[in-house]
Amino acid sequence: MITNIKDLEQYEGKTVRLQGWVANKRTGKGLVFLVLRDGSGYCQCVVSEEQVSNETFETAKRATQESSLQLSGAVIKDERQVGGYEIQVQEINILQETVDYPISNKEHGVDFLIENRHLWLRSRKQWAIMRIRNSVKYAIYTFFHERGFIQIDSPIFTGNAAEGTTTLFETDYYGQPAYLAQTGQLYGEAAAMAHGKVYTFGPTFRAEKSKTRRHLSEFWMIEPEMAFYDLDMDMDLIEDFIRYIVTDTYKNCKQELEILERDTALFENIGKKFPRITYDEAVQILRGERDVNGKNSIETLRDDLNEIAQRIGDIKEEISTREATIQQAGVKAGVKNFNQAKVDNLKNELRDLEEKQRNIPQWIDSALNFTHGDDFGGSDETVITRLFNTPIMVYKWPAAIKAFYMKRDEQDSEYVKGVDCLAPEGFGEIVGGSQREEDIDLLLARIKEHQLPEEVFNWYIDLRRYGSVPHSGFGLGFERLIMWLTNVPHIRETIPFPRYYGRLFP
RNA sequence: UCCUCCUUAGCUCAGUUGGUUAGAGCAUCUGACUGUUAAUCAGAGGGUCGUUGGUUCAAGUCCAACAGGGGGAGCCA
């Protein structure tokens, strides 16, 4: 019988049989340490020359990184180990000896790793990220199921370019043009009129030639839609939803978050009420005209700049000291190499800092000169959310920069009842939502204003023709959410096989 | 589409104002070491410096074009 590594605690002191792959190997005299992974976890397996046959010991020495094997041995409790247990090996049987596995335990560049994504998924951090992705997906289903929502699938082939703004993938659909869906929202609205509360959760496609760490061509979206919900109810739901996901992840993915070295401040602050501010207030905060918790956006940025300049000075000094050491006559090879490695690392850090040093003045400039009525850019969102330690809700947006289906504010018709939820620590937008326009005449007027083809929206307009009700919803980018929770630097790491501009394989 | 940076060993990167035979760490192989956590130490092998053209006595280094990639803007989740 085969045991999973995650279940080892049930077998302390007993002999078990494991199967998996060699994640890492270290050797000592008369000893081989194999770190085995089996998909469920990691476990160090010790092969001692004194305790096994010569044949078994030779086999252990032959086991290279990523070789597949089966082994049996006794389960020993050992607090020092990652899973808390290790195996005293008795027998090993190699299934396949791996030669020249491309990914080592040392650092690699993003491009190389993406090229080897099919193998990279085996790595520890990637393993943790995919498990969190799975856990969050399950939590999303649970959250909505517990609240009486029905999960509804929207089509992937659509005939209309929904909001008319973004570039879509065009394809041939039995001789007529069709587009890969960029949102399921309009279909969600139709389903909400059938079920009351629904949500879609599926892949969406954008053909923008974006090359940034926040964009994918194919990504997953969660889009709830609720009949008889106004904007306030929508915001309440967003807040409950985000808090539920974050809390659930903290509770169920402890080991994974540890592997990823995720700062836990987010999880400790998530119980606090999310501040709700209007777009106008957000603009004041951005321009530095209004402080948040005693912090001013512009001053914070200037402090950052000073700190960076300070650090750059320190690094340059350390580099010249170490280089002087290397230059000295009669320096031992070990000392020389050690210092050279330090210098290389420092130079890398220096490059990152100098990039920031170039960027921050632009951020300050963008913040100070922000024009009321514009949409926030990436840096603006960073500047605002840096001042908060919980997600924030920005609502009441200028109508001109939002989609045609958003309902106008009754008191202030230049604004719409839309909301963006921005994640803290500088992360930026994760949710965009709104109350929808339910009046058929107003909706028709908006479609005209936005110069959208009315014919393709006929079915959508029907929803206002027959029993129209106030309703609201929001959209959440699944990968953005995972990126925020795991704090990985690049969205490409949050999906098993990323698709983005220029990338179709593996 | 625009701005910016990069391309040197299997991987990550040094390589100064152009100047002898191209440098390191990791990985691989050999050896040393009773317990390592990305182990460490000693040694060995491993290169058409992205491609093409130009300047020069001499090009990894300077210039041009092209290709590939990173980051960002726009757009967005």
Side-chain angles (χ1 to χ4, degrees), chain A residues 13-27:
Chain A
K14 294 183 183 142
T15 294
V16 295
R17 203 165 168 73
L18 301 177
Q19 57 188 7
W21 298 263
V22 177
N24 198 9
K25 181 173 81 166
R26 289 175 288 272
T27 56

Side-chain angles (χ1 to χ4, degrees), chain A residues 158-304:
Chain A
T158 60
N160 60 295
E163 292 169 29
T165 50
T166 45
T167 327
L168 306 185
F169 286 104
E170 193 174 330
T171 175
D172 177 85
Y173 192 76
Y174 305 116
Q176 61 170 316
Y179 306 91
L180 298 187
Q182 60 145 333
T183 168
Q185 183 201 312
L186 306 190
Y187 302 97
E189 288 186 47
M193 301 306 137
H195 294 277
K197 294 188 287 187
V198 303
Y199 68 106
T200 64
F201 191 169
T204 47
F205 308 88
R206 308 268 166 99
E208 291 146 2
K209 293 179 178 174
S210 293
K211 282 165 54 167
T212 84
R213 60 180 67 194
R214 300 185 311 279
H215 289 87
L216 291 169
S217 298
E218 177 183 290
F219 63 99
W220 288 64
M221 266 212 297
I222 301 104
E223 295 181 290
E225 196 68 37
M226 300 76 65
F228 304 106
Y229 265 52
D230 65 14
L231 183 66
D232 287 329
M233 296 164 79
D234 202 22
M235 287 198 278
D236 288 344
L237 184 70
I238 293 170
E239 184 166 344
D240 285 352
F241 175 67
I242 300 291
R243 185 171 294 125
Y244 181 93
I245 301 299
V246 173
T247 307
D248 184 87
T249 304
Y250 192 44
K251 196 173 83 194
N252 294 322
C253 301
K254 283 228 157 21
Q255 191 192 354
E256 290 84 351
L257 292 168
E258 212 170 284
I259 289 172
L260 293 167
E261 295 165 10
R262 177 64 167 106
D263 179 3
T264 56
L266 158 69
F267 304 103
E268 283 145 18
N269 289 322
I270 199 67
K272 295 181 193 162
K273 177 92 186 138
F274 298 0
R276 295 184 187 182
I277 59 177
T278 62
Y279 168 86
D280 288 0
E281 288 166 336
V283 171
Q284 289 179 331
I285 290 168
L286 176 64
R287 288 176 178 162
E289 296 161 6
R290 175 193 282 243
D291 289 1
V292 177
N293 307 323
K295 284 187 283 188
N296 181 281
S297 64
I298 305 296
E299 281 168 22
T300 305
L301 286 173
R302 290 195 174 131
D303 289 349
D304 286 353

